[in-house]
Every structure is written in C-alpha cells, then in structure tokens.
Amino acid sequence: MDDFIAARSQMALSLGFHIIFSCIGMVMPFFMAVSHYKWLKTNDEMYKNLTKAWSKGVAIFFATGAVSGTMLSFELGLLWPKFMDHAGPIFGMPFSLEGTAFFIEAIALGFFLYGWNKLNKWFHWFTGMVVGVSGLASGILVVAANAWMNSPAGFDFVNGQYLNIDPIQAMFNKAWFTQALHMCLAAFTATGFAVAGVHALMILRDRNTYFHLKAFKIAAVFACIAALLQPLSGDISAKDVAKRQPAKLAAMEALYKTEKPAPLLIGGIVNEKDKSVTGAIKIPGALSFLAHGNFKAEVKGLDQIPENEHPPVAITHYAFQIMVGIGTLLLFISLTYFFTLLKKKSLIEKRWLLKLFVLAIPLGYLALEAGWVVTEVGRQPWIIYGIMRTRDAVTPMPGIAYSFYIFTAIYLSLSIIVTFLLYRQIKMVPVLYDKVESNTHLHS
C-alpha cells in the first residue's frame, strides 16, 4: 500500500467510524427530550426511566465521538498539510464554530446528567434540548466545511494564490444547504431505525415490553418521518450535483456517454476498462428528470469530461445504488408503520412489522456510509473541487501505511468497547411492570 492510498484509507476509516457516533449524538438527545417531556406532563415513571436509560447511551456515544472527532482534526493537519495550509484560512470558520457548539453540548450534557433532583425540572429538560440543538448545529457546521470542498467559494484563485478571502461566503457555499439537509435527515433516519429496531427486538423477546414499546414508538416516529422526507432531499441534492459536479452525477449513474434523454440505471455491473454497464434495469428519461426536472433534458456523461478528472465510477455507482436501495426499503417500512397506526392496530400483534424494524437496525447506517462514499469518492480526483487535487495535498512523510494499521486497531478496539458498554446498558434496564400488567397497555 503506497502512502497516498494509506492516507486516503486512514481518512476514510476515521470518517466512517466518526460519522456514526456524530449522527447518534445529533439525534438521540431529541429522543431523550421527548421522553423527558412526556414524564413531566404525565408523571409516568416509565418515561423517567427511559430518559435516564437513553441519557446514559448518549453519554457513551458522546465520549466516543469526542475521541474519534479529535483524532480526525489531527489527521487533517498530519495527512493533508498542503490542503490545510491553503484551505484553513478560508473554511476555518465553520470548524471554529463547531468547536464552540461542541463545548456547549458538553456543558449542557453535564448539567443534564447530574441535574436530576437538583435543577428546576423544566430547566433540566431545557439542558437536554440544548444538548440536541448544539449537537445538530455541530453536525451542520462540519457538513458546511465538507460542502465547501465540493463547492469552493469565498475567495479568488489567481496564479495559484487564494485572494480576497470571505469566510462567511465560504461557509454558506452553494452546496451547504442541500448537504446539511440530506445529512440531517439521514442521521434521524439511521439513528431512529437503529434505536427502534433494538427496542423492537426486546419486545419480540418479551423483555420489559411496556418499557420498550414506549421507547420504540418515540424512535420509530422520528425515523419514519425522516425516511419519508429523505427522497425529497435526495431529489434536491441530485439537481444540485447535476449543476455543480456533473462528473459525480455521471459516476453515480455510470453514465459514460452524454444522453438526451438519459435513463436511470437500477443495479448493473460496471466495467471501467470497457466503460460499460451490464445487467442494469433502465428507466427511460428518469435520470434527465432527476437531474433537470425534464424527462427529455440532456445529461452530461463522462465522455465530455477529461479522463484524468473522472471519479472511480464503479465504487461511486455501487455506493449510490446501496444508498438508494436501502432508502427505498426504509421508506416502505415507514409507510407500513404509519398505515398500521392509522388502522389503530396493536404493534404486538404485528410481529412481522417489528421484525422489519429489527432488520433495519444496521441498514440506515449502511446507507449513511454509502452516501458519504458517494460524496467523497465521487469528488475525486479533487480535494478542493476543480482547484486542488487530492494527490497534491497529501503529506510527503513516509510510513503512512503503519499509521493506518495503528488507527485501524484503535477504532476496532473502540468499537468492541462501545458494543460491550451498550450491551450491558440494555441488559440493565429494570423490569418495572410484570407481564400481566404490561399487556393492559399494549396499544399502538
């Protein structure tokens, strides 16, 4: 493994690991706040216990996310010094603001965890909301920085120099809103389905059913609403990418030749040597509509883009297919869930629906990871789109492969530790209602 591939692999591993914990940190506090609010309004002790159980999970994920996020910030400087030398003064503002949001989140989480029976009950609830809002803001600010890499703004690039820097314009670049919207909905979808799926599994095993049913309903509503909105966000993102990064869109759809109208490919095996796709289902004109809102519009293919600026087509295409495929499945589950609610059917009787949620536990995060592969790999060979190539930004320091192996071991260890802590946390959920009493409450 050469140093360039090792540096990219280490960054990919770090981002792939951190993104899960950052998304949970963005979303779980809102579940916690809803449960806390229900306890304050109904005085049902079950909601209080649920809030406390979730808050311990939030603390575990926050600590792990803080460690992995700190490692990422160091990696940016160590692995990509030339990139940070030029880009730091331009897109540094969202990173500095993200640091502020992180500290607010940490302080608010401390107040919440240790504020039981010590703070005013509504102020205590408010601190939990601050954890969620600051975590969400932190995620949006990081995405704004990444969006700048996809849509550089806030400077003039003259003779290799970055002049007339405007950090505000750089932060609010043309890609930040679409990326932030898509990312936030993806975070709520993935985390919501994962949390709902875990509680659905406990219901199926008949463990503390009333407790887990309350938790399931809160997480499932968040997840299903986000999953229903995600296709709208995806449509906005696709049209934006078609305008700004036609090479990425062409790689997503493995569109080697410019077509008018252009078909949408479902599946297919990419042959990058022959520049062809076999075995795909083609929907005539659908890509034209997706990209430009017109079934007869022309979509630029890779044949109109210099070959040395082509992204890796196979990886980008497969990742895009995984993301869309999983998103479609989660959309189906969401529609089924809301249909069940409208029919006022008991969830306990719909064991097949609970099994679908269990199946979906990892799916949201797989789609999330695939989406980031599309974003990052689809931008290649650029680290700053159209301005700086990734290869030109890597550190000249040798031995990056060893660093990659060490970081892989660290992240694997952290994964095992977090899994153990969460498993123990779930096992410690107290039995507050016996089976007979809980069955009287089992209504959807």
Side-chain angles (χ1 to χ4, degrees), residues 216-265:
F216 171 83
K217 288 180 178 180
I218 293 173
V221 168
F222 274 100
C224 293
I225 291 175
L228 291 176
L229 294 175
Q230 192 73 315
L232 300 177
S233 169
D235 181 66
I236 294 171
S237 296
K239 288 179 171 56
D240 179 62
V241 169
K243 293 178 181 177
R244 294 183 299 96
Q245 295 176 295
K248 179 184 287 187
L249 181 69
M252 288 159 57
E253 280 298 322
L255 187 68
Y256 282 103
K257 294 182 180 180
T258 301
E259 294 192 42
K260 179 183 179 180
L264 183 71
L265 300 187

Side-chain angles (χ1 to χ4, degrees), residues 33 204 278 325 354 363 411 435:
L204 290 169
T278 57
L354 293 174
L363 294 183
Y411 285 128
K435 184 176 180 180

Side-chain angles (χ1 to χ4, degrees), residues 94-343:
F95 275 127
S96 61
L97 292 176
E98 189 275 336
T100 303
F102 171 79
F103 285 121
I104 293 173
E105 182 183 6
I107 293 168
L109 182 60
F111 272 111
F112 187 83
L113 292 175
Y114 298 101
W116 292 98
N117 303 320
K118 297 181 180 67
L119 301 173
N120 173 276
K121 63 179 185 179
W122 286 106
F123 178 75
H124 186 217
W125 173 82
F126 174 74
T127 60
M129 282 295 296
V130 171
V131 174
V133 172
S134 56
L136 194 63
S138 180
I140 291 172
L141 288 165
V142 170
V143 171
N146 178 267
W148 178 84
M149 297 165 68
N150 287 296
S151 180
F155 64 96
D156 293 324
F157 188 64
V158 182
N159 297 325
Q161 300 293 316
Y162 297 80
L163 307 174
N164 303 321
I165 294 173
D166 183 349
I168 299 296
Q169 186 181 358
M171 184 167 65
F172 295 108
N173 55 79
K174 292 181 180 180
W176 84 270
F177 176 75
T178 55
Q179 280 197 210
L181 176 63
H182 202 59
M183 181 65 203
C184 289
L185 289 174
F188 274 95
T189 301
T191 304
F193 272 103
V195 173
V198 169
H199 290 290
L201 181 61
M202 295 298 105
I203 295 170
L204 290 169
R205 292 180 176 178
D206 199 23
R207 297 181 182 176
N208 311 316
T209 308
Y210 183 51
F211 175 91
H212 290 293
L213 186 62
K214 285 185 176 295
F216 171 83
K217 288 180 178 180
I218 293 173
V221 168
F222 274 100
C224 293
I225 291 175
L228 291 176
L229 294 175
Q230 192 73 315
L232 300 177
S233 169
D235 181 66
I236 294 171
S237 296
K239 288 179 171 56
D240 179 62
V241 169
K243 293 178 181 177
R244 294 183 299 96
Q245 295 176 295
K248 179 184 287 187
L249 181 69
M252 288 159 57
E253 280 298 322
L255 187 68
Y256 282 103
K257 294 182 180 180
T258 301
E259 294 192 42
K260 179 183 179 180
L264 183 71
L265 300 187
I266 299 177
I269 299 174
V270 177
N271 188 324
E272 294 196 84
K273 291 184 178 180
D274 296 340
K275 298 182 179 180
S276 62
V277 182
T278 57
I281 299 172
K282 295 184 178 182
I283 304 177
L287 181 58
S288 295
F289 181 79
L290 182 69
H292 302 292
N294 184 340
F295 283 102
K296 297 182 179 180
E298 180 180 275
V299 179
K300 182 185 290 188
L302 291 169
D303 58 336
Q304 292 191 17
I305 297 167
E307 194 159 345
N308 65 348
E309 295 180 10
H310 287 190
V313 177
I315 295 174
T316 307
H317 177 70
Y318 296 145
F320 181 69
Q321 295 292 311
I322 291 171
M323 179 184 69
V324 173
I326 293 176
T328 303
L329 176 59
L330 297 182
L331 176 65
F332 167 75
I333 296 175
S334 301
L335 290 172
T336 306
Y337 176 69
F338 284 127
F339 180 77
T340 302
L341 290 184
L342 289 174
K343 291 293 184 179

